[in-house]
Amino acid sequence: MNDHSHISDVKKPGLALALIPVVLTLLVLGVQLFYFGDFTPHTPLAIGLAITGLVGIRLGLKWKDIEEGVFHVIHVSLPSVSVLICVGMIIGVWIASGTVPTLIYYGLTLLSPQIFLAAAMVLCSVVSVSLGTSWGTVGTVGLALMGIGAGFDIPVYWTAGAVVSGAFFGDKVSPLSDTTNLAPAVTGTDVFSHIKNMMPTTIPSMLIAFAIYLVAGFTLIDGEGASFEKITAITTALESNFTISAWLLLPALLVIVLAVKRMPPIPSLFAGVLAGAVAAMITQGAGIHQLLTFANSGYSIDTGISTIDSLLNRGGIQSMMWTISLVLIALGFGGALEKTGCLEAIIASIMTRIKGFKGVQTAAVCTSISTNLVAGDPYLSIALPGRMYAPIYRGMGYSTLNLSRAIEEGGTLISPLIPWNAGGAFVISALGLGIADGNIENLLYIPLAFACWISPVIGLIYAQTGLFSPKATDEERRMWEHQGEIIATEMVEDSFARKEVIV
């Protein structure tokens, strides 16, 4: 009962102390990534967690308290880890069933190289809105699109950029998405008002990205000189090794239907695994033991064409373990930073230096991006700034819909652009970008995922001009009073001053 009685004696870190674990972790991360050229950020993040733990002990916390903060954040994210496991199984089984090969086959025969990038973005957007999961979209349709792009001789990073743009944008505006529900939940708004308020940044960003991909398609890709020999070789190899049929798209259709009916994502994705397994047995003659192996260890084939083999030899639960381990360590680091008050101290310091709506809105976007960068967790980058900034918006008389849009864009959309973030690690793993193997040039997908970074930029422009920045309505104000929400610009400073601060 008295296990946490010492918490009242715990001190808050000053800005200098709060920055120590952040700066040192980024330093170690930079040495690992750029000096040694080794893209395995796991150990630097684990070292960061240890440094944060020492800071916590310096502040008066016990290891048990820090551990509690670490495991709390990890616990909150376990549904996402479960999604990763299901996606790993889906990739392995859908390749074995012929679902992914069929998507690649039809894509190569029906699409033209010039419109491919734009079409890929739109297709991923539609699927992601339907499924409510960017990760599920990237791991299934995105993987098939990588195969089509390879057949058209389109650089891997261009295809990956289009896939990421579509998948994470669809996730951002899907009412079925966890992050789309989290952002309004932590800011005190409703999900459909939140989605509506994102349209002023969503529509222009998607149109700009679509135009760029179209221009790129017609200028960078020579349709006349496209390697029809290579395309023919790939389609012939697919036909030789798999039964190709439109019926094999049914597992994907089933998952989309279940998602549209608002079934939870994990059962929906697992239903896709089972449907793929049945299709594999009926059409490809796969045995039960083979399917269990594909679901766990991934699919394996030797077609004699390296492009196809590199795309189809993947999937399975084990293929996700590198990403899952990174996600767990990054989340643990983020949880430790939150528990010790380091993130709160940094945000509080920022908030004492900003004035007016322009500054607050800009700070909210940048804080979400920074939390993504440091903590490696899209959920923390939405939840923490959402909780910290909401009372300031209320005190200024602005709708917290402005805040929910800011943290959604700084959180959801930026996460796949940071390689050691949960989102970025998954993209790199699922799309087979091979960064850890030295294919650093494939990180070019980051600037080429146009929709993901153009949207926050447009949001920042709106913040400076006051466009699409709604004030709080009378109804919203009444709701704040009814729910007892905190409405004060001095809230952070007051609460921060309750405990002694250690510099």
Side-chain angles (χ1 to χ4, degrees), residues 393-419:
Y393 280 80
R394 297 186 193 110
M396 296 174 68
Y398 276 87
S399 171
T400 50
L401 286 169
N402 296 292
L403 174 59
S404 65
R405 184 174 70 199
I407 60 177
E408 177 87 79
E409 294 181 337
T412 302
L413 293 183
I414 298 300
S415 70
L417 309 186
I418 300 170

Side-chain angles (χ1 to χ4, degrees), residues 246-272:
W247 290 107
L248 292 172
L249 301 179
L250 285 177
L253 187 61
L254 172 65
V255 174
I256 291 174
V257 168
L258 290 175
V260 170
K261 288 184 172 292
R262 302 201 174 188
M263 287 288 289
I266 294 172
S268 299
L269 291 170
F270 193 72

Side-chain angles (χ1 to χ4, degrees), residues 10 36 58 144 166 228 335 366:
V10 174
F36 294 122
R58 168 82 174 87
F228 293 108
C366 293

Side-chain angles (χ1 to χ4, degrees), residues 410-432:
T412 302
L413 293 183
I414 298 300
S415 70
L417 309 186
I418 300 170
W420 56 87
N421 187 282
F426 175 74
V427 165
I428 289 167
S429 174
L431 297 184

Side-chain angles (χ1 to χ4, degrees), residues 325-480:
S325 61
L326 176 56
V327 167
L328 294 178
I329 296 169
L331 291 175
F333 176 47
L337 285 171
E338 184 176 22
K339 185 67 177 183
T340 55
C342 289
L343 285 179
E344 182 183 356
I346 294 168
I347 292 174
S349 176
I350 293 169
M351 293 176 74
T352 59
R353 291 165 170 78
I354 56 176
K355 294 180 180 178
F357 174 76
K358 295 178 184 179
V360 173
Q361 186 73 358
T362 302
V365 175
C366 293
T367 301
S368 285
I369 293 172
S370 301
T371 308
N372 250 328
L373 187 72
V374 173
D377 175 32
Y379 299 98
L380 198 60
S381 70
I382 290 173
L384 189 66
R387 290 200 300 265
M388 294 291 289
Y389 283 93
I392 307 301
Y393 280 80
R394 297 186 193 110
M396 296 174 68
Y398 276 87
S399 171
T400 50
L401 286 169
N402 296 292
L403 174 59
S404 65
R405 184 174 70 199
I407 60 177
E408 177 87 79
E409 294 181 337
T412 302
L413 293 183
I414 298 300
S415 70
L417 309 186
I418 300 170
W420 56 87
N421 187 282
F426 175 74
V427 165
I428 289 167
S429 174
L431 297 184
L433 298 183
I435 307 300
D437 299 326
N439 299 317
I440 303 299
E441 71 280 359
N442 288 340
L443 285 177
L444 284 171
Y445 86 87
I446 296 170
L448 297 178
F450 297 107
C452 289
W453 60 264
I454 288 175
S455 185
V457 168
I458 292 175
L460 290 173
I461 292 171
Y462 289 159
Q464 301 309 308
T465 60
L467 290 170
F468 303 107
S469 304
K471 293 283 188 75
T473 62
D474 291 339
E475 183 182 352
E476 197 171 359
R477 291 173 187 275
R478 284 194 294 270
M479 184 181 71
W480 294 342

Side-chain angles (χ1 to χ4, degrees), residues 133-420:
T133 166
S134 51
W135 291 3
T137 303
V138 168
T140 52
V141 176
L143 178 62
L145 289 166
M146 295 298 288
I148 299 168
F152 288 148
D153 275 334
I154 295 172
V156 168
Y157 41 83
W158 269 103
T159 305
V163 166
V164 169
S165 280
F168 281 82
F169 242 83
D171 182 283
K172 170 194 160 189
V173 296
S174 172
L176 306 174
S177 166
D178 48 4
T179 57
T180 307
N181 282 278
L182 177 62
V186 297
T187 57
T189 60
D190 69 275
V191 67
F192 290 105
S193 297
H194 167 63
I195 291 172
K196 181 180 177 182
N197 193 56
M198 285 194 294
M199 289 301 116
T201 55
T202 300
I203 294 172
S205 302
M206 289 296 274
L207 289 175
I208 293 169
F210 183 81
I212 293 173
Y213 291 131
L214 268 185
V215 171
F218 281 95
T219 55
L220 300 176
I221 301 162
D222 182 7
E224 296 298 321
S227 179
F228 293 108
E229 199 173 296
K230 182 177 181 180
I231 293 171
T232 301
I234 292 173
T235 53
T236 301
L238 290 173
E239 286 181 305
S240 301
N241 290 277
F242 298 93
T243 298
I244 303 295
S245 168
W247 290 107
L248 292 172
L249 301 179
L250 285 177
L253 187 61
L254 172 65
V255 174
I256 291 174
V257 168
L258 290 175
V260 170
K261 288 184 172 292
R262 302 201 174 188
M263 287 288 289
I266 294 172
S268 299
L269 291 170
F270 193 72
V273 175
L274 296 179
V278 171
M281 287 189 287
I282 293 173
T283 61
Q284 314 297 341
I288 293 176
H289 182 247
Q290 283 180 304
L291 288 169
L292 293 173
T293 302
F294 297 149
N296 180 64
S297 306
Y299 189 75
S300 180
I301 192 173
D302 182 8
T303 64
I305 299 177
S306 60
T307 304
I308 286 293
D309 293 344
S310 64
L311 280 162
L312 300 186
N313 289 334
R314 64 179 62 253
I317 295 172
Q318 299 308 316
S319 72
M320 292 292 143
M321 285 304 152
W322 188 93
T323 304
I324 288 172
S325 61
L326 176 56
V327 167
L328 294 178
I329 296 169
L331 291 175
F333 176 47
L337 285 171
E338 184 176 22
K339 185 67 177 183
T340 55
C342 289
L343 285 179
E344 182 183 356
I346 294 168
I347 292 174
S349 176
I350 293 169
M351 293 176 74
T352 59
R353 291 165 170 78
I354 56 176
K355 294 180 180 178
F357 174 76
K358 295 178 184 179
V360 173
Q361 186 73 358
T362 302
V365 175
C366 293
T367 301
S368 285
I369 293 172
S370 301
T371 308
N372 250 328
L373 187 72
V374 173
D377 175 32
Y379 299 98
L380 198 60
S381 70
I382 290 173
L384 189 66
R387 290 200 300 265
M388 294 291 289
Y389 283 93
I392 307 301
Y393 280 80
R394 297 186 193 110
M396 296 174 68
Y398 276 87
S399 171
T400 50
L401 286 169
N402 296 292
L403 174 59
S404 65
R405 184 174 70 199
I407 60 177
E408 177 87 79
E409 294 181 337
T412 302
L413 293 183
I414 298 300
S415 70
L417 309 186
I418 300 170
W420 56 87

Side-chain angles (χ1 to χ4, degrees), residues 474-492:
D474 291 339
E475 183 182 352
E476 197 171 359
R477 291 173 187 275
R478 284 194 294 270
M479 184 181 71
W480 294 342
E481 292 179 11
H482 177 70
Q483 295 177 348
E485 301 283 9
I486 300 173
I487 309 173
T489 54
E490 292 80 19
M491 183 278 298
V492 174

